[in-house]
């Protein structure tokens, strides 16, 4: 009974988020009309969002964005469920927290790829963006990426365990 109550309470945390999201989306046309846009202009903008906005060869519609969010959320929930199964059933005898963490990263990556592919976006067009991001990561966020990789190495090799004393700076 406590587990069901905890699940219900964790679900209730999302109610204000979704309520705020829906109220914000619903208020945008009203705010546009208050700011002086006519009903025809607001209707045209809504139709443009519904039918899609083109960015070069890519056309994104409101339905594409909603389907991306839903598919990614489902993938995220499945990843969390797999992590919970790993944590409770498979890994207690091995005590490898690193496997749960890496499974989470892989699950989120796969969920993002599936969500992008499901919306009809061409993944080859993302190659340019990935190349630009890798250059940016190489120069601007080099220390952050190094720390992330170091953290993964610490998770896998486990040279430091709970209860160890660490001396920093002499």
């Amino acid at each position: 009974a406590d587990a069901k109550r905890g699940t219900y309470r964790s679900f209730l945390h999302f109610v204000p988020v979704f309520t705020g999201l829906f109220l914000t989306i619903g208020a945008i046309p009203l705010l546009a009309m208050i700011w002086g846009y006519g009903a025809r202009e607001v209707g045209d903008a809504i139709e443009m969002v519904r039918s899609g906005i083109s960015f070069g060869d890519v056309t994104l519609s409101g339905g594409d964005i909603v389907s991306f969010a839903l598919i990614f959320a489902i993938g995220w929930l499945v990843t969390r469920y797999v992590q919970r199964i790993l944590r409770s059933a498979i890994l207690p005898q091995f005590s490898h927290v690193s496997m749960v963490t890496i499974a989470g990263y892989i699950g989120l990556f796969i969920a993002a790829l599936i969500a992008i592919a499901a919306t009809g976006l061409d993944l080859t067009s993302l190659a340019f963006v990935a190349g630009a991001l890798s250059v940016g990561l190489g120069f601007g966020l080099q220390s952050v990426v190094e720390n992330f990789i170091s953290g993964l190495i610490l998770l896998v090799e486990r040279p430091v365990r709970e209860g160890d004393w660490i001396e920093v700076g002499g």
Side-chain angles (χ1 to χ4, degrees), residues 65-149:
I65 294 170
V66 169
S67 66
F68 173 83
L70 286 175
I71 292 170
F72 185 75
I74 290 169
W76 178 73
L77 290 172
V78 168
T79 300
R80 297 290 297 223
Y81 183 71
V82 168
Q83 282 181 312
R84 186 176 299 135
I85 289 173
L86 283 173
R87 194 176 294 120
S88 65
I90 297 172
L91 296 177
Q93 58 260 20
F94 300 114
S95 71
H96 285 288
V97 178
S98 61
M99 299 301 281
V100 176
T101 304
I102 291 173
Y105 290 143
I106 291 171
L108 288 179
F109 181 73
I110 291 171
L113 284 180
I114 291 172
I116 289 170
T119 57
L121 291 177
D122 186 17
L123 294 179
T124 57
S125 64
L126 294 177
F128 178 73
V129 175
L133 280 176
S134 65
V135 170
L137 288 174
F139 289 117
L141 298 174
Q142 187 174 6
S143 64
V144 173
V145 173
E146 286 175 0
N147 290 337
F148 178 73
I149 299 298

